[in-house]
Amino acid sequence: MDSGRDVWGVVGGGFDFVGDVSIVWGTRVFPELNGIAMSETNAAAESNTAIVRGPAYVLGDDIDTDQIIPAEYLSFNPSIPEERRYFGMYAMAGVPAGQSGLPGGTTRFVPEDEFETEFAIVIGGKNFGCGSSREHAPLAIAEAGAQVVVAEFYARIFYRNCVNGGYLLPCESEVRLVEEISTGDDCEVDIDAGKLTNHTTGKTYVLKPLGDVKPIIDAGGVFAYARQSGMLAK
């Protein structure tokens, strides 16, 4: 399954799409993506770290963007800080009952009436982030405070939105972690070493390399990276 990593194999000349906005590399980029200011800070860019450790939140297959952030909450404006935090409050609000925090399925990602989650790492199955192209999905997860998603593979547009906005580190596992890890397990993702360690069980799992996308995420997104790289005037 192509998760979109090939898009970032070479950052230089060429033509590509970011969400619904076209980009001509090294020539012109647009300052905003469907109303979301790409220079906004986010968990992944702020951390700028190769290691993330914390409780894991486990989901199943085909988690779509409407489950991650239901359409009814898209009326909030992410460019306004007072409204942006509500994306964190309602992150994963659409996940069906019985599937929220596996294996039990009854654990909320964000406690009711709160804005932040205790879970630093999200574990998903196949086709994570499928559905619409809304950039608000990775934004919501990051705004809640999670920094990494580890899935078997992603819907291409979700993966690319994680990178474009610098919201999350979208890692891919070589095994089916949703059957190996339970919600609440103390996990550690080491990006440079390419591994996930479950300190609760003592098991370690191999992750696929992020390749050229991590510098883009660390920079805070594709536009910030373009400025740092000299492709766009500061």
Side-chain angles (χ1 to χ4, degrees):
M1 170 61 67
D2 176 11
S3 62
R5 284 172 292 152
D6 60 299
V7 174
W8 308 104
V10 176
V11 180
F15 179 86
D16 198 49
F17 289 90
V18 178
D20 299 323
V21 180
S22 60
I23 287 181
V24 179
W25 288 107
T27 304
R28 181 186 181 193
V29 294
F30 292 81
E32 292 190 352
L33 178 59
N34 292 345
I36 299 179
M38 301 299 283
S39 60
E40 293 284 354
T41 58
N42 55 76
E46 284 181 337
S47 68
N48 195 27
T49 182
I51 298 177
V52 176
R53 180 171 179 175
Y57 188 79
V58 183
L59 297 165
D61 296 329
D62 301 314
I63 297 299
D64 64 43
T65 52
D66 200 52
Q67 294 175 28
I68 296 171
I69 184 69
E72 62 191 285
Y73 303 120
L74 299 185
S75 58
F76 293 109
N77 187 341
S79 297
I80 301 174
E82 294 77 12
E83 294 190 20
R84 183 185 178 93
R85 63 181 189 151
Y86 282 95
F87 286 94
M89 172 180 279
Y90 296 115
M92 307 296 186
V95 178
Q99 300 179 34
S100 299
L102 300 175
T106 59
T107 302
R108 291 176 62 100
F109 183 60
V110 179
E112 190 172 4
D113 298 325
E114 295 188 20
F115 293 94
E116 296 182 357
T117 183
E118 66 175 296
F119 302 105
I121 300 167
V122 175
I123 305 295
K126 302 173 182 177
N127 202 27
F128 191 93
C130 58
S132 76
S133 63
R134 66 188 65 161
E135 298 81 12
H136 309 78
L139 165 68
I141 297 173
E143 195 65 21
Q147 295 174 260
V148 180
V149 177
V150 182
E152 289 181 65
F153 62 82
Y154 296 87
R156 180 183 178 90
I157 191 65
F158 178 89
Y159 186 98
R160 294 168 70 185
N161 283 337
C162 286
V163 177
N164 294 343
Y167 300 124
L168 297 164
L169 292 163
C171 299
E172 292 180 322
S173 59
E174 294 193 346
V175 299
R176 186 167 172 77
L177 294 181
V178 298
E179 296 175 356
E180 298 281 333
I181 297 174
S182 297
T183 294
D185 283 0
D186 177 15
C187 291
E188 178 180 300
V189 173
D190 188 327
I191 300 298
D192 291 340
K195 65 180 182 179
L196 182 152
T197 301
N198 186 338
H199 292 287
T200 300
T201 64
K203 295 182 178 181
T204 298
Y205 307 92
V206 175
L207 301 178
K208 298 177 183 179
L210 275 176
D212 292 333
V213 304
K214 189 174 185 296
I216 299 172
I217 297 169
D218 285 345
V222 67
F223 297 131
Y225 181 81
R227 293 187 183 94
Q228 291 181 10
S229 302
M231 291 186 286
L232 183 68
K234 296 184 178 180

